[in-house]
Amino acid sequence: MQSRFRSDRRLTVRMGLTLFLLGLLYVGFIAALITLLRSWVLVVVLVGAMFVAQFWFSDRIAMFAMHGRVVEREEYPELHAVVDRLCAIADMPKPVVAVSDMDMPNAFATGRNPDHAVVCVTTGLLRRLEPAELEGVLAHELSHVAHKDVAVITVASFLGVLAGLIVRFAFYSQVFGGGRRDQNTAVVFATIMGVSAAVYAISFLLIRALSRYRELAADRAAAHLTGRPSALASALTKVSGDIARIPTKDLRTAQAFNAFYFTPATGKEPGVERFFSTHPTLEQRLEQLGRISAELGEAATPGAG
């Protein structure tokens, strides 16, 4: 079902182009694996099993890793009320609502499609945000669900993850078992490691670029849906500032899931690292929301509480 979130042609084009380029890359990667391993059955079974696991169970994996739990309306009536209102405005199915008992203020959406989606917020976010700010964050996450961003990123990143695992496997096999292999086997392992490393590096850069634009598109869609870009800007400023004050050691576990988050758990604005980041800089996001606020003639200024 088509939601009422504003369609984003630029997002669609970028997703299509990125998936096309990744498709070419992955076809070459699979062909190379079949050639090197000399068994298309082994490659197909391995790739198929990992794809099913990542695509169908990504929501459960993310919820488990982030200690999220499904909450009913009786337990969090205000949270459910905001999600109900936004889903009614957007004309989309209501996702499962979950809460993660973490002090780090953040939120994420996961699930393979709008009918199998989860929107999760941390208790730290609920404690810190005003109702209008929370609405903006939830609208951002629902935009990801409506535009099927989670499914696209999951599919796009799948073989990159596989390539990374193969690099690790080949590396440790060479370190701990290299002396027991003949020269031909060593050459095959080195070639597989090299091809996998190249696939991982290229797919990493393509997916990061898509992810950054995906976040800007979700901000834009949320601002137009709620009509209050300044509230979303305020939430961004508040959440980013509070995350920056959390000790780095406490953020390390969460950083593995930055691609899912409303705001990355980096604790600082990236420098050169912004080219490898899953999110645009805070400045870029606030600038965009400021422009939308001016277009809508909003009285409040972005970043105001």
Side-chain angles (χ1 to χ4, degrees):
M1 180 175 64
Q2 183 68 37
S3 77
R4 288 181 184 148
F5 273 103
R6 288 179 54 148
S7 61
D8 192 318
R9 174 175 283 180
R10 287 177 294 177
L11 177 62
T12 302
V13 169
R14 290 186 185 221
M15 280 186 170
L17 178 61
T18 302
L19 290 177
F20 174 73
L21 294 174
L22 286 170
L24 292 178
L25 181 67
Y26 291 161
V27 166
F29 179 47
I30 291 175
L33 286 181
I34 291 173
T35 301
L36 292 167
L37 296 177
R38 299 178 182 178
S39 173
W40 66 269
V41 174
L42 175 62
V43 174
V44 169
V45 169
L46 175 65
V47 171
M50 287 196 64
F51 178 80
V52 169
Q54 184 170 342
F55 188 71
W56 261 267
F57 301 108
S58 61
D59 54 345
R60 299 180 194 179
I61 294 171
M63 286 282 285
F64 175 79
M66 296 310 302
H67 310 291
R69 62 184 180 88
V70 175
V71 295
E72 301 301 330
R73 186 182 305 277
E74 295 75 20
E75 191 175 358
Y76 284 88
E78 294 178 1
L79 176 60
H80 272 271
V82 176
V83 175
D84 285 337
R85 183 168 63 254
L86 289 171
C87 288
I89 296 171
D91 192 22
M92 63 181 288
K94 182 182 179 181
V96 172
V97 178
V99 170
S100 171
D101 189 18
M102 297 176 61
D103 184 57
M104 180 188 71
N106 229 317
F108 66 90
T110 185
R112 62 184 183 272
N113 59 47
D115 292 316
H116 299 85
V118 179
V119 171
C120 182
V121 297
T122 66
T123 52
L125 186 81
L126 293 175
R127 284 196 300 270
R128 287 171 171 88
L129 298 190
E130 300 296 326
E133 295 169 338
L134 178 62
E135 181 183 63
V137 172
L138 289 171
H140 171 103
E141 296 304 329
L142 289 172
S143 169
H144 283 316
V145 172
H147 290 138
K148 302 180 177 65
D149 289 350
V150 177
V152 170
I153 292 297
T154 299
V155 172
S157 64
F158 162 65
L159 280 177
V161 172
L162 177 61
L165 291 175
I166 289 174
V167 169
R168 289 189 179 188
F169 173 76
F171 175 77
Y172 287 118
S173 294
Q174 285 294 92
V175 169
F176 296 111
R180 295 190 294 273
R181 293 194 177 92
D182 57 34
Q183 186 174 0
N184 288 337
T185 303
V187 169
V188 170
F189 261 75
T191 304
I192 290 175
M193 190 171 177
V195 170
S196 299
V199 168
Y200 177 79
I202 296 171
S203 64
F204 179 90
L205 293 175
L206 286 172
I207 292 164
R208 287 298 192 275
L210 174 60
S211 180
R212 290 192 295 275
Y213 188 81
R214 180 181 70 111
E215 294 300 327
L216 287 173
D219 284 347
R220 191 159 54 243
H224 282 289
L225 185 74
T226 63
R228 289 189 284 189
S230 63
L232 179 57
S234 177
L236 270 169
T237 303
K238 188 179 292 186
V239 169
S240 298
D242 284 350
I243 287 178
R245 288 191 284 271
I246 295 175
T248 303
K249 61 183 178 62
D250 295 334
L251 294 177
R252 283 175 186 156
T253 301
Q255 286 173 355
F257 298 91
N258 272 346
F260 286 96
Y261 287 139
F262 170 66
T263 300
T266 57
K268 62 178 182 178
E269 278 291 285
V272 177
E273 300 94 344
R274 68 182 182 276
F275 297 109
F276 310 106
S277 176
T278 56
H279 289 62
T281 64
L282 176 62
E283 182 182 14
Q284 288 176 299
R285 297 176 78 175
L286 293 179
E287 283 180 358
Q288 175 181 249
L289 291 171
R291 290 193 299 269
I292 296 173
S293 183
E295 291 169 8
L296 296 178
E298 192 180 31
T301 57

